[in-house]
Amino acid sequence: MKKYYSPFKEYSKHKSFHPFYRCLRGLVRLFFPKNEFIWKTEKPAENEPVFFVCNHTKIYAPVYFLLQKKTVRPWANYYFCFYKECWQHLKNNVLSGKRKKLKPLGFLLTPLIVKTFRALEPIPVYHKSSKVMETFEKSIFTMEEGVAQVVFPERTENQVNRYVYEFNAGFPLVAEMYYKQTGKKLKFYPVYCAEKLRTFAVGDPIEYNPDVPMKLQRKQICVYLQDKIKELGDSLPEHEPVLYG
């Protein structure tokens, strides 16, 4: 039996079809600006997993990747894929303070938000240690499908250069798990989105090294990618970066 990807259960027995999301995606694509995607490094081989690490901007970079004809699966917070968890997040973290009066609207929109996120088939990011392995399992499932993926790992504090905030250092752990399962070394490709220039630039990747302890390496990988994104940004014509947050 063929197994199809699902962001909210182990797998699906049938390939999902989401007509509303397809129509919405097509409509957004009509109005989204055209962008140049520049490879400033050697492109990965046909059978090699593609793992992009990109600056977040506001929503521009995530929307760009979601609109690609060839699927690029984004990492996204898990709670947007589950009704109860999504409503709890909206109620407690989004619709508080001056936005309290919008809670009824948020409650009504929760099913639409969840259905939309399930349709875009993200890799659900869990933050609790008891569930985090599910994130990596979904990521490896994606690699085995031959589908590219992208993570936007910026925090909302501690700006490390002109272009990005410090990266959360959880995502590199997937490389260790992938190596243990397959014996293959995963590469992380830095991507800089210059929204004002309508340009995406991809730089030289960093490859997982099984001889370096993961506790040390995950930090090294993040620092390398942060620095590479700065290098990519500096290589482009002068522009104003769009920061996350």
Side-chain angles (χ1 to χ4, degrees), residues 7-23:
F8 62 96
K9 54 186 177 180
E10 186 178 356
Y11 62 87
S12 177
K13 295 179 181 179
H14 308 284
K15 190 168 179 61
S16 300
F17 180 70
H18 304 279
F20 171 77
Y21 174 68
R22 283 175 178 262
C23 291

Side-chain angles (χ1 to χ4, degrees), residues 14 43 92 143 158 168 192 196 207 232 245:
H14 308 284
K43 290 185 179 181
N92 299 327
M143 295 179 211
N158 191 20
N168 286 299
Y192 174 61
K196 302 294 185 182
E207 184 177 77
L232 290 166

Side-chain angles (χ1 to χ4, degrees), residues 84-142:
K84 180 181 177 182
E85 289 81 353
C86 181
W87 167 236
Q88 290 298 320
H89 172 70
L90 292 176
K91 181 176 67 172
N92 299 327
N93 301 314
V94 179
L95 304 176
S96 57
K98 293 180 180 179
R99 292 190 287 259
K100 260 187 177 182
K101 58 185 179 182
L102 296 176
K103 281 188 178 181
L105 178 61
F107 181 77
L108 292 173
L109 288 177
T110 293
L112 180 61
I113 293 170
V114 172
K115 286 182 182 295
T116 301
F117 265 81
R118 287 183 174 185
L120 61 87
E121 296 188 336
I123 292 167
V125 178
Y126 293 90
H127 304 286
K128 293 182 179 179
S129 57
S130 60
K131 298 280 287 183
V132 74
M133 292 301 289
E134 291 187 31
T135 299
F136 301 145
E137 287 166 1
K138 296 292 185 186
S139 176
I140 293 173
F141 191 108
T142 297

Side-chain angles (χ1 to χ4, degrees), residues 53 153-155 158-169 171 190 192 206 218-233:
V53 182
E154 285 182 82
R155 301 173 184 266
N158 191 20
Q159 188 173 344
V160 295
N161 59 51
R162 187 173 175 231
Y163 305 98
V164 292
Y165 288 93
E166 182 183 10
F167 285 175
N168 286 299
F171 71 91
Y192 174 61
I206 182 169
R218 59 194 289 199
K219 181 65 176 177
Q220 291 175 338
I221 289 172
C222 287
V223 170
Y224 173 90
L225 294 167
Q226 290 165 181
D227 291 346
K228 272 295 176 180
I229 285 176
K230 178 182 185 300
E231 185 180 306
L232 290 166

Side-chain angles (χ1 to χ4, degrees), residues 73-85:
R73 193 166 286 155
W75 287 40
N77 285 315
Y78 78 95
Y79 39 73
F80 290 119
C81 294
F82 300 92
Y83 296 103
K84 180 181 177 182
E85 289 81 353

